[in-house]
Amino acid sequence: MATEKVFPMTKDGKEKLEKELEYLKSVRRKEVVERIKVARSFGDLSENSEYDSAKEEQAFVEGRITTLENMIRNAKIIEDDELNSDLVTLGKTVTFVELPDGDEETYTIVGSAEADPFEGKISNDSPIAKSLIGQKVDDEVTVQTPGGEMRVRIVSIK
């Protein structure tokens, strides 16, 4: 049997996934079942777009529940005391500037399960994070991005 993927994440990230799972199981699942009941009452299921839509939503919700359960079951919590304070690692917040005279950017490197670029959380599997992990303050790093290479200098690690 194949080994299951481990999902590294922070404690907060795992709690967020657990809350989403609880919401899907206790609220969304019931809402979708109710939509299916209402759509069934419209009669002929072969041409009932409401029913088809509700069934598709049910499949999505059930799929997300399965995904979340797997992520939570295989979560590896990254503890603060495991983190070397001098190096960029999972769970650290990194500030860097693009060279030669670019803007300063700050990201927290998290596991793929809790990545959210709009909140400044990037996956450890992303090109930027892969280039930064293991580096120190003042290191200059070349990052391979879809738009080409980018040179950055690490300003701080928290």
Side-chain angles (χ1 to χ4, degrees):
M1 187 168 131
T3 52
E4 293 197 47
K5 179 179 178 183
V6 172
F7 294 93
M9 63 184 72
T10 61
K11 185 178 178 187
D12 288 344
K14 184 177 180 189
E15 288 172 3
K16 185 176 175 185
L17 293 180
E18 288 170 338
K19 285 179 184 171
E20 180 183 354
L21 179 61
E22 181 60 31
Y23 170 75
L24 289 174
K25 284 181 162 183
S26 63
V27 177
R28 289 295 296 142
R29 195 180 251 170
K30 291 175 184 169
E31 290 173 350
V32 172
V33 167
E34 189 57 35
R35 273 191 63 202
I36 291 171
K37 284 181 186 175
V38 169
R40 275 191 181 141
S41 71
F42 296 151
D44 185 10
L45 297 181
S46 65
E47 295 183 21
N48 187 331
S49 64
E50 288 291 322
Y51 178 77
D52 292 341
S53 173
K55 289 299 281 183
E56 286 174 14
E57 186 176 357
Q58 182 183 42
F60 173 79
V61 168
E62 293 303 323
R64 183 67 179 155
I65 287 171
T66 301
T67 299
L68 290 173
E69 287 173 338
N70 183 47
M71 290 173 144
I72 292 167
R73 182 176 53 253
N74 295 300
K76 180 184 185 311
I77 304 301
I78 305 303
E79 301 291 341
D80 288 339
D81 58 353
E82 292 179 30
L83 305 177
N84 179 327
S85 61
D86 296 339
L87 297 177
V88 177
T89 58
L90 194 75
K92 292 290 185 87
T93 300
V94 184
T95 301
F96 61 86
V97 292
E98 286 187 51
L99 299 175
D101 55 353
D103 295 330
E104 191 171 274
E105 296 181 45
T106 301
Y107 295 104
T108 301
I109 299 175
V110 296
S112 58
E114 61 182 307
D116 185 349
F118 298 110
E119 289 186 17
K121 296 178 179 180
I122 59 172
S123 167
N124 60 317
D125 293 328
S126 71
I128 293 174
K130 283 182 177 180
S131 299
L132 295 175
I133 289 175
Q135 303 297 324
K136 298 178 189 163
V137 171
D138 291 328
D139 282 356
E140 291 187 11
V141 181
T142 300
V143 178
Q144 297 293 336
T145 67
E149 286 188 352
M150 171 175 78
R151 290 277 304 156
V152 301
R153 184 173 50 77
I154 299 173
V155 177
S156 72
I157 302 169
K158 297 178 188 168

